């Protein structure tokens, strides 16, 4: 691995857009295309911006692709009347994205919403997987935090009171809570991390779209047993890097993955949901170290 200056690493990141299934998808790219591919997928309420600090480091070892899903970041926000805001449709976008870029094999970074989206992709095409990296991205019921459990109950009981509670999930106070809860050192959390998400959420119609996505999240639970069976059967090389203080997806979710993949490596960090904000450098180095250990075996 060559040693580039910090400036060279940062300047190696490029920002592009591509049309996938009729929707304009923004993505960040870095690293030599001849290197192993690594797709980084964000969650709620973030975008590829959440990877801004780790992409330059990871690009020393990987060819990095980090797309924004429709309705997130800088990708298009099609009307809910013309675009199906479901996790299965997001998976079709990711699959189309990989096809457009002729990516046949890649490692996946599964974070938050990115976990069910990518598991939909992997379930249909397990041969695409090189390595999995789970970071606070859950596919086990025991990993669900109380907030998500309550939200699913509220969605199924459509009262005026419950609607008011759900509406808070797309407001700045909740977005900030996801970023700051469980953090060891608040001074390490850059305010633009959550303020960009708060700002982009104010776009016309987007709050209603994100509540639709949150409602659809509950539909992923029906796929959990099949996804768990897929990883048990395939035994993909897997690194689990997890903010141990996360209240969105609890550490029990990480332990469940590790239990089903006994050869995986599990590392907890003393932080919350957005672990990269506080331990990005450490996690990026762990990813590189783990992947290089696989090449030596």
């Amino acid at each position: 691995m060559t040693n580039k200056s910090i400036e060279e690493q940062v300047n190696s990141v490029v920002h592009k857009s591509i049309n996938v299934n009729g929707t304009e998808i923004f993505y960040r790219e870095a690293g030599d295309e001849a290197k192993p591919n690594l797709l980084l997928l964000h969650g709620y309420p973030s975008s590829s911006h959440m990877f801004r600090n780790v992409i330059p480091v990871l690009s020393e070892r990987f060819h990095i692709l980090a797309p924004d899903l429709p309705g997130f970041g800088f990708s298009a926000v099609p009307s809910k009347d013309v675009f199906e805001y479901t996790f299965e449709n997001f998976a079709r976008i990711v699959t189309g994205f990989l096809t457009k870029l002729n990516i046949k094999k890649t490692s996946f970074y599964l974070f938050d919403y990115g976990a069910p989206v990518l598991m939909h992709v992997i379930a249909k095409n397990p041969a695409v997987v090189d390595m999995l990296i789970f970071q606070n991205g859950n596919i086990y019921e025991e990993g669900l935090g109380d907030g998500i459990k309550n939200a699913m109950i509220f969605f199924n009981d459509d009262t005026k009171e419950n609607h008011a509670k759900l509406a808070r999930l797309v407001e700045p106070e909740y977005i900030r809570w996801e970023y700051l809860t469980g953090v060891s050192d608040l001074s390490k959390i850059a305010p633009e991390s959550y303020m960009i998400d708060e700002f982009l959420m104010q776009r016309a119609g987007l709050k209603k779209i994100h509540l639709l996505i949150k409602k659809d999240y509950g539909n992923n639970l029906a796929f959990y047993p099949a996804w768990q069976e897929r990883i048990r059967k395939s035994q993909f090389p897997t690194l689990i890097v997890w903010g141990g203080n996360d209240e969105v997806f609890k550490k029990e979710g990480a332990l469940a993955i590790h239990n089903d993949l006994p050869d995986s490596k599990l590392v907890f960090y003393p932080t919350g949901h957005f672990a990269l904000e506080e331990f990005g450098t450490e996690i990026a180095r762990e990813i590189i170290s783990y992947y290089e250990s696989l090449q030596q075996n």
Side-chain angles (χ1 to χ4, degrees):
M1 186 169 67
T2 60
N3 293 316
K4 293 184 178 179
S5 69
I6 293 176
E7 182 179 5
E8 287 176 317
Q9 290 174 321
V10 171
N11 289 339
S12 71
V13 183
V14 295
H15 308 85
K16 300 179 179 181
S17 290
I18 188 172
N19 189 286
V20 179
N21 302 346
T23 301
E24 204 67 18
I25 299 298
F26 170 88
Y27 66 101
R28 301 167 200 260
E29 183 175 15
D32 189 335
E33 291 184 14
K35 294 177 180 177
N37 298 302
L38 171 56
L39 186 136
L40 311 173
L41 194 58
H42 65 86
Y44 174 83
S46 57
S47 66
S48 58
H49 178 259
M50 68 170 283
F51 301 111
R52 67 198 179 280
N53 295 325
V54 298
I55 288 176
V57 180
L58 291 171
S59 66
E60 285 288 288
R61 187 64 180 84
F62 300 96
H63 172 227
I64 302 295
L65 295 164
D68 290 352
L69 293 170
F72 292 81
F74 301 101
S75 285
V77 187
S79 164
K80 57 185 177 63
D81 297 323
V82 299
F83 184 87
E84 186 182 10
Y85 283 95
T86 65
F87 285 81
E88 290 189 84
N89 199 29
F90 284 152
R92 287 190 281 270
I93 289 289
V94 172
T95 296
F97 176 79
L98 292 173
T99 299
K100 274 283 186 87
L101 296 178
N102 197 32
I103 304 294
K104 295 181 172 61
K105 194 86 169 178
T106 182
S107 295
F108 291 101
Y109 190 102
L110 302 94
F111 167 75
D112 191 80
Y113 279 9
V117 171
L118 292 176
M119 285 307 302
H120 277 297
V121 174
I122 292 165
K124 291 186 177 181
N125 183 19
V128 74
V129 176
D130 191 8
M131 169 182 70
L132 299 182
I133 304 152
F134 281 92
Q135 188 255 296
N136 299 80
N138 183 64
I139 59 169
Y140 292 80
E141 288 198 39
E142 51 263 54
L144 296 172
D146 290 340
I148 290 179
K149 291 179 181 178
N150 289 336
M152 288 190 287
I153 293 171
F154 296 155
F155 276 120
N156 292 325
D157 185 12
D158 191 19
T159 65
K160 186 176 181 179
E161 180 183 3
N162 285 345
H163 183 77
K165 292 176 180 177
L166 290 167
R168 296 172 189 161
L169 300 178
V170 292
E171 295 300 330
E173 293 78 10
Y174 178 80
I175 292 173
R176 200 163 298 198
W177 176 87
E178 280 209 358
Y179 273 90
L180 302 182
T181 301
V183 168
S184 292
D185 184 353
L186 289 173
S187 71
K188 292 186 177 180
I189 311 303
E192 64 266 26
S193 61
Y194 49 82
M195 292 186 75
I196 287 176
D197 292 346
E198 292 170 10
F199 174 77
L200 292 174
M201 187 64 74
Q202 305 309 312
R203 290 175 289 180
L206 200 56
K207 290 182 179 179
K208 289 183 179 179
I209 285 172
H210 277 282
L211 285 175
L212 285 175
I213 299 169
K214 285 190 172 298
K215 185 175 183 179
D216 186 64
Y217 185 89
N219 292 326
N220 289 313
L221 271 66
F223 294 95
Y224 276 12
W227 292 344
Q228 293 159 16
E229 179 60 25
R230 167 52 62 195
I231 66 170
R232 281 194 295 267
K233 180 180 179 180
S234 302
Q235 291 294 309
F236 301 116
T238 300
L239 172 65
I240 308 159
V241 283
W242 206 275
N245 302 332
D246 189 6
E247 294 185 24
V248 181
F249 293 124
K250 301 184 296 183
K251 63 171 62 177
E252 285 78 4
L255 293 168
I257 298 169
H258 188 48
N259 184 60
D260 276 346
L261 297 171
D263 290 332
S264 64
K265 182 175 183 180
L266 170 60
V267 184
F268 283 117
Y269 296 85
T271 190
H273 189 58
F274 284 92
L276 294 182
E277 294 298 326
E278 192 171 12
F279 290 96
T281 299
E282 292 86 346
I283 290 173
R285 288 174 178 163
E286 188 65 60
I287 291 169
I288 292 171
S289 175
Y290 180 76
Y291 189 79
E292 291 184 341
S293 72
L294 294 176
Q295 308 314 301
Q296 295 169 5
N297 292 334

